[in-house]
Amino acid sequence: EILAPAGDMTCLQAALDAGADAVYLGLDGFNMRARSGVNFDRETLPEASRRCRARGVKLYLTLNSIVFEGELAAVEEMIAFAKPFVDAFIVADWGVVDICRRLGATFHISTQMSCSNSAAARFMKAQGAARVVLARECTLAEAAEISRTAGVETEAFVHGAQCIAMSGRCLLSHEAYGCSANRGECHQPCRRRFLIKAVD
């Protein structure tokens, strides 16, 4: 399956026209696109779903940021709203997993959960995950072995943000800029030039 991101309807249509098998997108919260400035909303999600289904393309909704205590009710309401329009939710918080299970919503484990071995993948499958997006630290050989032995669908990033600190669980952006990479606010300091000076 070739899965492409879509930040707005133009991007979604481009992915459909290019032959993507599936598309993932975010609504107006709880995903890793907080800094992008564009996302879908409750008014545009039904049309996105209609376009995907007309082409036989799967549609996944990302809910892959960490979720704080006071946000659980809003996440549950969002999942209940979006469930008729999407094929699965991409999640990165065990509280969101629990909500998906209670609402009977199909979910995939995000790379943000840092699944890097077959034991973890089997555990996530036992919790109800239909798919596990492997940690970006996995080598090709490790990804192949996990896929062969875990007994659950696997997915891997092949293009885009290849975060280098525990599959996105990085604290560098938070420490440097006060913007959490785990809440979709990353300023990507790992991509900047650094000068390392020896200290006597």
Side-chain angles (χ1 to χ4, degrees), residues 131-183:
R131 178 185 296 176
V132 175
V133 186
L134 299 177
R136 286 165 282 194
E137 292 82 7
C138 290
T139 65
L140 285 174
E142 289 166 341
E145 181 66 10
I146 295 166
S147 299
R148 187 180 68 81
T149 60
V152 65
E153 265 190 29
T154 58
E155 177 184 321
F157 276 75
V158 296
H159 179 72
Q162 297 289 338
C163 298
I164 59 167
M166 294 305 292
S167 282
R169 293 179 178 230
C170 180
L171 299 178
L172 187 56
S173 180
H174 183 270
E175 291 302 313
Y177 306 109
C179 297
S180 174
N182 304 307
R183 300 274 290 176

Side-chain angles (χ1 to χ4, degrees), residues 1 3 59-64 75 79 83 86-111 113 120-133 152-155:
E1 178 180 275
L3 171 58
L59 181 61
Y60 306 137
L61 180 65
T62 56
L63 287 172
N64 58 345
V75 170
I79 292 171
K83 185 184 170 196
V86 303
D87 294 285
F89 295 88
I90 302 173
V91 306
D93 185 290
W94 288 112
V96 182
V97 167
D98 178 66
I99 294 169
C100 286
R101 288 175 57 164
R102 286 192 287 103
L103 296 182
T106 302
F107 65 92
H108 300 169
I109 297 293
S110 171
T111 190
M113 282 183 118
R122 283 192 295 272
F123 175 79
M124 291 167 175
K125 179 187 178 184
Q127 305 314 304
R131 178 185 296 176
V132 175
V133 186
V152 65
E153 265 190 29
T154 58
E155 177 184 321

Side-chain angles (χ1 to χ4, degrees), residues 59-83:
L59 181 61
Y60 306 137
L61 180 65
T62 56
L63 287 172
N64 58 345
S65 70
I66 60 171
V67 175
F68 292 112
E69 186 66 23
E71 299 170 331
L72 287 169
V75 170
E76 182 163 350
E77 194 275 330
M78 183 179 285
I79 292 171
F81 165 80
K83 185 184 170 196

